[in-house]
Amino acid sequence: MDGATSPSTAKEEAFPWHLGVFDAHCHPTDTVASQDDVPKMKARALVIMSTRYEDQDIVRQFAGRYGVQPETAKTLWDQDDKNCATQLVPSFGWHPWFSYLTYDDSSSSSATAESLDVIHHYRSVLSPSPTDEFISSLPEPRPLSELLHQLRGNLEDFPYALVGEVGIDRSFRLPMHWTLSDRAERNEGLTPGGREGRRLSPYRVQIDHQRKILKAQLHLAGELGRPVSVHGVAAHGILFETLKETWQGHEIAVISKRERKRRTSAANAHASQAVADSLIEKEEKKGSRSKPYPPRICLHSYSGPRDALRQYLEPPIPAMIYFSFSRLVNFSTRSKKAIEVVKAIPDDRILIESDLHSAGDEMDELIEDIVRLVCRIKGWSLIKGVELLATNFREFLFGEQIAD
C-alpha cells in the first residue's frame, strides 16, 4: 500500500484532540446501544445521519441527550478545554436506498393514500419490473408530503440540524425479502430497515424517482437555510446536474478583469458612491436566508474523479461545496485516485468523517486515522491540519450562525 495511505504504526506525534476534531458524517444510530459510548469519545462533535423512516426518531433521541444547543455551540471551539464533552449534530433525511418507499403526491393528479395502487407504484419506480411476490414483501409506501412534513418538523425542532443523508445511487440493489433463516440470524442490536446481511435482489430504484425525492429535500434545506450531506455513487454527472438545477437562475455574477479595472477607476473618481454601492451589494449578498438551493453542501466520502472537482468549484455557484473523506470508503484499499483528489481540493473545502455505524473507540480511531492521512497527503502538520479541518467544519455546519 502507498505510504501516504497506509496506517501509521509508529505515531510519533501525539494527536491533538484538545484542538477539536470533528466527524462530518456517521451513523451511530444504526447501533442504538452505542449512544452510551458517546460521552466517552475524544471527538468534539459528530454529525449523525438518518436515512429511513425507522431511524428519524432515533436520531432525535440521540440529539435529545447529546445534541448541540445554542448555549453549548461555542464551546465546540474552545481549544483550552481538554475535557469538552462530545456533542452531536443531528441530520434528518431520506437516503436514496430507501427512496422507493415514498410516492410522489405533489401534483393535483398524483395518487392519494386512498387511491394509491401499490403494485403500480413499485413497478414504476423499480427496475426491472418486480414480481408480485417481491412486491408483496414490501411495506406500504408513504407520501412525499408526509416525508417533507416530518423533515420540516425535525429541522425546526433542532436549529443546528442538517438535511441528510440524501443523494443518488445507481449501483444499489434492494435486498431480498426476509427468510426464516435471515430472521433467525438477525442482530437484534441493529436498527431495523437496513439490509442486515440479506441477499441482494436484481431491483434498483429508477434515477428519475431518486432525483425527485432528492430535489424535494434540497429545496426544503434551501428554504430553511440548512446545509446538506449528500451521497453519490456511480452517478457523479447526474448528481451534479440535479444539484445544479436547484441553483439555476441564482448564479453569482462573475466580473471580468476589464470590468473590475473600469469599476476601480470609477470608484477612485467617485469614492462616496463606491461606498454606497458597497453597502448595497453587501446587503443584497446577504439577501434572504430562504433559497431554492442549500447554502452549503457536503459530498460525503467523495468518490468522483479529480476532473469532476472543477465543476463544483466554479465561481458562479452560489452554494459552498465541501468534500469529505473516510478511511472506510475512500482508503479501504490502495487508491491513487483518492490521493490525487485530496491533493486537488482547496484547503478550505475538505472535511473528514468516519462513516461508522456505532459510536465509541473505533469511531475515534477512524477519525484520527483519516485526519493523519489527509495531513500526510496535504503536507500539513497535525496541528495545522486539525485546525484547518475544524475551521472548515465550523463554516460548513454553522455558516454565519455562530459569531466569534
Side-chain angles (χ1 to χ4, degrees):
M1 183 176 281
D2 190 293
T5 60
S6 59
S8 174
T9 55
K11 295 178 178 177
E12 64 285 351
E13 186 177 355
F15 195 73
W17 288 105
H18 65 283
L19 296 179
V21 182
F22 304 88
D23 186 339
H25 186 107
C26 59
H27 298 268
T29 52
D30 279 351
T31 311
V32 175
S34 74
Q35 69 177 303
D36 293 333
D37 293 320
V38 171
K40 307 170 190 174
M41 290 185 62
K42 300 173 184 176
R44 188 67 60 85
L46 317 174
V47 183
I48 58 171
M49 297 291 132
S50 55
T51 59
R52 55 195 186 273
Y53 286 101
E54 290 87 348
D55 64 7
Q56 308 292 317
D57 285 343
I58 300 176
V59 168
R60 287 184 62 97
Q61 175 188 326
F62 272 54
R65 289 186 67 181
Y66 308 115
V68 175
Q69 302 296 328
E71 62 272 18
T72 64
K74 288 186 179 181
T75 65
L76 292 173
W77 324 113
D78 187 353
Q79 295 187 354
D80 296 325
D81 187 354
K82 296 184 179 181
N83 298 310
C84 186
T86 301
Q87 298 185 60
L88 304 181
V89 180
S91 188
F92 299 100
W94 276 260
H95 195 287
W97 292 357
F98 307 100
S99 57
Y100 66 98
L101 296 171
T102 299
Y103 67 89
D104 180 18
D105 64 339
S106 60
S107 69
S108 58
S109 60
S110 300
T112 63
E114 293 75 21
S115 64
L116 178 67
D117 183 333
V118 174
I119 293 177
H120 173 74
H121 165 73
Y122 282 126
R123 286 188 172 158
S124 66
V125 302
L126 298 179
S127 181
S129 181
T131 64
D132 288 349
E133 179 185 10
F134 186 79
I135 291 174
S136 68
S137 72
L138 299 176
E140 189 91 3
R142 302 188 189 188
L144 178 59
S145 59
E146 178 184 318
L147 177 157
L148 295 175
H149 178 76
Q150 183 178 358
L151 179 55
R152 180 185 295 275
N154 284 331
L155 294 174
E156 291 176 345
D157 287 345
F158 294 90
Y160 296 132
L162 285 71
V163 170
E165 179 177 358
V166 300
I168 297 176
D169 192 322
R170 294 186 66 171
S171 66
F172 170 75
R173 289 182 290 151
L174 275 64
M176 293 296 292
H177 54 75
W178 288 94
T179 65
L180 290 177
S181 61
D182 289 335
R183 293 189 183 282
E185 297 173 3
R186 184 180 182 275
N187 182 346
E188 296 295 333
L190 296 178
T191 299
R195 178 186 173 188
E196 299 186 47
R198 287 177 287 166
R199 292 185 302 111
L200 294 178
S201 76
Y203 308 117
R204 290 182 167 88
V205 185
Q206 293 193 13
I207 295 299
D208 284 348
H209 186 69
Q210 292 189 45
R211 278 169 39 87
K212 191 174 295 182
I213 304 303
L214 170 60
K215 288 181 71 174
Q217 296 179 88
L218 293 174
H219 287 318
L220 183 55
E223 177 188 338
L224 299 181
R226 303 301 178 90
V228 176
S229 188
V230 176
H231 169 107
V233 173
H236 299 294
I238 295 171
L239 178 59
F240 175 75
E241 289 303 318
T242 304
L243 295 172
K244 181 180 177 181
E245 287 172 10
T246 68
W247 64 63
Q248 276 186 329
H250 297 267
E251 291 85 352
I252 298 170
V254 178
I255 303 172
S256 67
K257 290 182 179 179
R258 177 179 294 181
E259 179 63 14
R260 284 201 300 270
K261 184 177 180 180
R262 186 192 68 78
R263 291 190 182 188
T264 299
S265 297
N268 289 336
H270 307 282
S272 61
Q273 183 61 45
V275 171
D277 289 344
S278 175
L279 292 173
I280 293 171
E281 183 179 353
K282 184 177 181 180
E283 288 304 309
E284 289 178 344
K285 187 175 181 181
K286 286 171 64 178
S288 169
R289 187 176 69 165
S290 181
K291 306 286 185 184
Y293 58 87
R296 299 174 299 283
I297 298 168
C298 175
L299 303 178
H300 111 85
S301 285
Y302 178 74
S303 59
R306 174 176 176 169
D307 291 346
L309 294 175
R310 187 179 307 165
Q311 63 188 355
Y312 283 108
L313 299 172
E314 291 290 341
I317 295 178
M320 294 287 287
I321 312 296
Y322 294 80
F323 307 82
S324 68
F325 296 88
S326 65
R327 166 67 76 175
L328 291 178
V329 176
N330 301 109
F331 295 99
S332 60
T333 60
R334 177 196 291 267
S335 179
K336 291 183 177 179
K337 182 184 82 169
I339 293 173
E340 292 306 310
V341 169
V342 169
K343 287 180 179 178
I345 291 175
D347 290 356
D348 63 349
R349 299 295 186 90
I350 190 166
L351 299 167
I352 58 90
E353 60 177 84
S354 68
D355 200 23
L356 192 65
H357 295 261
S358 61
D361 291 343
E362 185 181 0
M363 184 174 285
D364 273 338
E365 290 168 6
L366 286 170
I367 294 167
E368 177 177 345
D369 202 25
I370 190 62
V371 170
R372 288 183 180 275
L373 176 52
V374 167
C375 287
R376 288 200 296 272
I377 294 172
K378 284 288 199 179
W380 299 336
S381 68
L382 268 182
I383 298 294
K384 176 182 177 180
V386 167
E387 290 180 338
L388 274 172
L389 291 168
T391 298
N392 294 350
F393 181 88
R394 176 177 179 167
E395 292 296 321
F396 167 64
L397 261 295
F398 301 112
E400 298 178 354
Q401 290 185 64
I402 298 181
D404 290 318

